Amino acid sequence: METLIKGIPELFGKSIGITKNDEVHVYVDVRDGEKLPCPECGELCKRAGYENKERVWRHGDCVFFPCYVHCRRPRVNCGKHGTKVAEAPWARKSSRFTLMFEGYAMLILSDMPISKAAKLLRCNEKALTKILRHWVSKAVAESDLSNVTSIAMDETSFKKGQSYVTAVIDAAERKVIDVEEGRKAQTVIDFSLMLEAKRGDCTKIEYASSDMSSAYKSGIDFCFPNAKHIIDKFHVKKELLDAMDEVRKAEQRELKAKKNAVSRKLLMIPQARQTEAQSLKIAELSKQFPKTGRAYRMVQAVDILYASRTMDEAEINFKKLHQWLKKSRLDPMKRAGDTLKKYKNEILNYFRSHLTNAICEGINSMIQAAKRKARGYHTFEGFSSMIYLVAGKLKLACLNPLR
Ligand SMILES: [Zn+2]
């Protein structure tokens, strides 16, 4: 029986048929009499007839037609477990797909949205999500977190912002090690329990980075007593960008300008990456919309803070930025200044070591990329499995049909 999955081409001569529906069907016979392993204990057992009904598995396409493998599996008589149906070596227990198909589906899923994958594989999304969840949770369950010392956590929304998940990253290995439902202090506690269950040690966590939420702060303080809590550039900038956007909207209303007279997208482009035309346009808009222009310049000042080379320099630049925000006469910017002040220590922790810069850099873009690919999954399990698949550097045990 073991040879059968690789031997499917051999069987073509014997039992291939293309039906009216453009499908390929492969019928597999099992040699009579040969002993087969018990599905429970693996002991080679005597045969005891066949299962009542033939079973069908979906296999990878043949000559561009969906291919199905048919077999009536033999039963075995085990001394310990009684009469059992022998498992087909080309599929895992209770799956309606062959291992080869599942391996191919995993390759496709890691590369495209689920709706597209379902179309290409001619298979429904629910079945694909089930395959994804099986192989991902198997790999995640087997992971060893004993070497984790730096973590970064980030919230991410799904189901159009109705639900939130927290992704936790091993910052040194740059991979997602946990995805938890929610974004509360309890979420951090759930992660810490999982860490300890996988041979990790909460007291060994030296750095923990997150955004400016008090839930994460209290969770980190509670679970990781030796960790320096870092709030990185991405989150500081985001706080100010959100405040600037409030200023922009209010000023557009105030001046009775069109809704998107100042393009939000344009203002989001980092100064270093602007084309000449873009920076000219921003300068021109800043004159027409002076409040937005001022808020824009405050956002740019974050880069000055992060160019600081020493702790002293960072402290001075932080103070300057904070004072500017406080005296801005723009309420959203003033509020952002208050938030920054509240997290001053965590923001300055970034400058304590060059190591932390390397850790924080790029982590958020990694999460964003994973999140983009996870779009289209409607359940927490599907969404989190996709995040693991894209950003978890998993050792998947499924077959790779292209190897
Ligand atoms: Zn047995």
Side-chain angles (χ1 to χ4, degrees), residues 255-313:
L255 299 178
K256 296 193 172 65
K258 262 195 265 158
K259 206 174 168 203
N260 272 320
V262 190
S263 146
R264 174 190 154 94
K265 255 192 184 160
L266 179 65
L267 300 184
M268 296 282 174
I269 304 169
Q271 227 164 9
R273 269 189 264 150
Q274 288 163 6
T275 63
E276 215 180 309
Q278 284 168 336
S279 40
L280 279 172
K281 178 85 185 156
I282 291 172
E284 190 189 306
L285 286 168
S286 298
K287 279 181 202 153
Q288 283 175 42
F289 299 87
K291 289 180 183 170
T292 309
R294 254 176 31 237
Y296 175 78
R297 287 191 292 281
M298 287 170 215
V299 174
Q300 300 313 311
V302 174
D303 290 336
I304 301 172
L305 167 64
Y306 281 90
S308 311
R309 277 158 303 172
T310 62
M311 193 61 188
D312 290 344
E313 210 181 321

Side-chain angles (χ1 to χ4, degrees), residues 141-153:
E142 286 160 5
S143 60
D144 174 355
L145 302 180
S146 53
N147 292 326
V148 178
T149 56
S150 308
I151 54 169
M153 49 187 73

Side-chain angles (χ1 to χ4, degrees), residues 5 106 233 236:
I5 183 67
M106 291 299 283
K233 183 180 173 179
V236 172

Side-chain angles (χ1 to χ4, degrees), residues 331-361:
D331 284 341
M333 303 314 278
K334 276 158 77 177
R335 281 197 299 274
D338 289 340
T339 311
L340 257 52
K341 177 108 190 266
K342 193 171 149 200
Y343 290 96
K344 183 183 172 188
N345 287 336
E346 287 79 7
I347 293 169
L348 291 177
N349 270 344
Y350 181 90
F351 301 92
R352 289 198 193 282
S353 137
H354 287 297
L355 182 73
T356 56
N357 300 4
I359 283 169
C360 297
E361 213 62 43

Side-chain angles (χ1 to χ4, degrees), residues 38-43 45 78-81:
C38 160
E40 302 287 331
C41 62
E43 193 78 37
C45 305
C78 173
K80 272 187 231 148
H81 300 99

Side-chain angles (χ1 to χ4, degrees), residues 47-325:
R47 298 270 289 274
Y50 291 84
E51 62 185 335
N52 294 334
K53 259 179 95 184
E54 174 192 83
R55 206 179 159 90
V56 186
W57 294 265
R58 171 72 194 279
H59 189 50
D61 289 3
C62 268
V63 287
F64 293 104
F65 297 136
C67 174
Y68 296 88
V69 177
H70 300 245
C71 180
R72 251 180 88 195
R73 294 169 301 174
R75 280 198 288 247
V76 293
N77 212 337
C78 173
K80 272 187 231 148
H81 300 99
T83 307
K84 295 272 166 192
V85 175
E87 271 172 40
W90 55 81
R92 60 187 172 85
K93 203 177 172 180
S94 71
S95 172
R96 295 288 175 164
F97 300 90
T98 64
L99 290 168
M100 219 38 132
F101 181 92
E102 294 198 345
Y104 188 53
M106 291 299 283
L107 280 180
I108 300 275
L109 282 171
S110 63
D111 237 29
M112 63 177 70
I114 184 154
S115 52
K116 212 168 157 190
K119 231 180 219 172
L120 194 70
L121 292 162
R122 288 182 272 211
C123 163
N124 72 53
E125 291 185 18
K126 225 173 168 180
L128 281 181
T129 307
K130 232 171 152 181
I131 294 172
L132 173 74
R133 279 183 60 189
H134 171 80
W135 293 106
V136 166
S137 50
K138 186 173 157 63
V140 170
E142 286 160 5
S143 60
D144 174 355
L145 302 180
S146 53
N147 292 326
V148 178
T149 56
S150 308
I151 54 169
M153 49 187 73
D154 204 22
E155 65 163 51
T156 225
S157 68
F158 83 114
K159 282 203 279 189
K160 293 187 179 131
Q162 287 171 32
S163 297
Y164 284 86
V165 302
T166 296
V168 186
I169 296 131
D170 176 343
E173 294 283 326
R174 311 185 86 73
K175 63 179 187 185
V176 170
I177 50 172
D178 190 29
V179 183
E180 297 282 346
E181 232 167 334
R183 49 173 174 174
K184 300 191 174 121
Q186 182 60 42
T187 315
V188 185
I189 297 173
D190 291 343
F191 162 68
S192 73
L193 295 173
M194 190 283 304
L195 178 74
E196 299 258 336
K198 289 186 184 166
R199 301 183 57 219
D201 183 347
C202 289
T203 62
K204 278 194 195 156
I205 302 297
E206 295 169 34
Y207 297 102
S209 122
S210 79
D211 63 11
M212 279 176 258
S213 93
S214 51
Y216 283 155
K217 182 172 163 42
S218 58
I220 288 170
D221 290 348
F222 180 72
C223 298
F224 309 110
N226 302 322
K228 273 202 176 72
H229 185 187
I230 302 162
I231 288 171
D232 67 18
K233 183 180 173 179
F234 175 88
H235 291 112
V236 172
K237 203 146 195 183
K238 189 171 178 299
E239 190 74 24
L240 264 64
L241 281 170
D242 289 348
M244 175 186 76
D245 208 42
E246 274 186 56
V247 175
R248 177 186 72 96
K249 282 183 196 156
E251 193 174 32
Q252 279 177 173
R253 277 196 302 272
E254 206 178 295
L255 299 178
K256 296 193 172 65
K258 262 195 265 158
K259 206 174 168 203
N260 272 320
V262 190
S263 146
R264 174 190 154 94
K265 255 192 184 160
L266 179 65
L267 300 184
M268 296 282 174
I269 304 169
Q271 227 164 9
R273 269 189 264 150
Q274 288 163 6
T275 63
E276 215 180 309
Q278 284 168 336
S279 40
L280 279 172
K281 178 85 185 156
I282 291 172
E284 190 189 306
L285 286 168
S286 298
K287 279 181 202 153
Q288 283 175 42
F289 299 87
K291 289 180 183 170
T292 309
R294 254 176 31 237
Y296 175 78
R297 287 191 292 281
M298 287 170 215
V299 174
Q300 300 313 311
V302 174
D303 290 336
I304 301 172
L305 167 64
Y306 281 90
S308 311
R309 277 158 303 172
T310 62
M311 193 61 188
D312 290 344
E313 210 181 321
E315 278 201 56
I316 293 166
N317 286 330
F318 181 89
K319 204 173 163 191
K320 276 187 192 161
L321 177 63
H322 176 248
Q323 278 175 350
W324 194 6
L325 292 165

